[in-house]
Amino acid sequence: MHGICDDAVPWQTSLALGERLESRNAVVILLKYGDHRPSSESDLARLGRNFGRTRMRVAVIKSIFLCGVLTLLAHLGRGEASAQDTGAEEASRRAMAIAQLPPDAAQVLFGRESTPAAGPPQAIGSYERGCLSGAIALRADGPNWQVMRPSRNRAWGHPVLIAFLERLAQKLPGEAGWPGLLVGDIAQPRGGPMLTGHGSHQIGLDVDIWLTPMPNRRLSPAERDGISATDVVAGEGMDIDPTVCTPQHRLLLEAVAREPLVERVFVNAAIKRALCREGGPERAWMAKIRPWWGHNYHFHVRLSCPSGSRQCRGQTPPPPGDGCGKELDWWFTEEARHPRPSPRKPLRLGNLPPACAALVAAPTGQALQLRGAAQ
């Protein structure tokens, strides 16, 4: 139960908590005029009707509810975002991240840039430590694609990636029976580390594509910021949900992996397991399909460094084989299913290639603190 007039914790936090609870009995109640401490007689009576009649049970439920909110806030405070966060949830996470990070953190400097850097297109550095100049934005609407979560302003990429997406979207209806792409995050206008979410997506060569087919109508901006993609993995995470995951999903992933420019395609381990089980005799393309945590609502496409991008640092090619043996089995072990959380440290410009410092300005009244080669 959350008051919409709460000035300390956004009411969208409770919606996010409700979405993450697996119980079918979870109920989210929004009090239109409630504040941070809903304690009026009517509010307490509503708690009593929903959770029990006695004062003790009300007190217990209030304590449990508060612990749940605080637990989620601790999670949000680390800046960890889900690709399915709504526009309001993303704004809340960004505000928390900015409040906790030092003002000269690379996440803050790149996260506040709203326009691309002028100059020739260059992917600078590696996928997880880099930046981007000369970026262009994928148009919000195309014949076979729609950009999702537009309020994030993360539809910027290297021109090679943008051209690839436009070409791919046009081919998929015929090759895979896939009507069109719902495109998630690509990169920020100047690439670089993000305030929330991704550790990669920094040089304009990564893109998230939803596992939801594009509908036969144009979604409104509010819908694009609010609706969720399709989860194709069963609740326990050990296999796909056969009522949701269709043959077209396999054809989609195969068509993308066969593209020569594609370096890797990251999917949930359960999706990789299903591909291994259902793949045909020609399986070379499956080497590019790599399991990774999450990725049950979308898959992540990574392109190789474009020719002429001398400052782009590519990735070691995937190991030979189809990736369906022991390396896949590890993803279903206790170690992989419940990894120890590791707090993400703030990145400084000195952690990025020297050329990245020229793409962002220092906070007002401060000089950029560069280290090592960046000096």
Side-chain angles (χ1 to χ4, degrees), residues 41-74:
E41 288 297 323
S42 60
D43 293 339
L44 293 176
R46 186 177 285 107
L47 274 171
R49 288 195 299 272
N50 283 278
F51 303 117
R53 296 291 180 178
T54 66
R55 288 180 178 271
M56 181 176 294
R57 294 189 75 179
V58 168
V60 169
I61 290 300
K62 287 176 72 177
S63 299
I64 293 174
F65 174 78
L66 182 58
C67 288
V69 169
L70 291 177
T71 300
L72 182 63
L73 284 174

Side-chain angles (χ1 to χ4, degrees), residues 33 113 126 128 201 245 317:
Y33 301 106
E113 297 291 347
S126 65
E128 284 121 3
H201 289 256
C245 197

Side-chain angles (χ1 to χ4, degrees), residues 168-180:
L168 177 69
Q170 188 175 3
K171 294 167 54 177
L172 287 175
E175 289 191 6
W178 196 261

Side-chain angles (χ1 to χ4, degrees), residues 254-291:
E254 180 177 352
V256 173
R258 288 185 181 277
E259 287 288 326
L261 294 179
V262 170
E263 169 74 26
R264 278 170 167 78
V265 178
F266 297 100
V267 300
N268 187 276
I271 298 174
K272 174 72 175 185
R273 170 180 274 181
L275 293 174
C276 292
R277 184 172 60 236
E278 301 164 5
E282 201 288 289
R283 304 165 70 92
W285 59 272
M286 291 179 60
K288 293 183 181 180
I289 306 288
R290 313 304 298 173

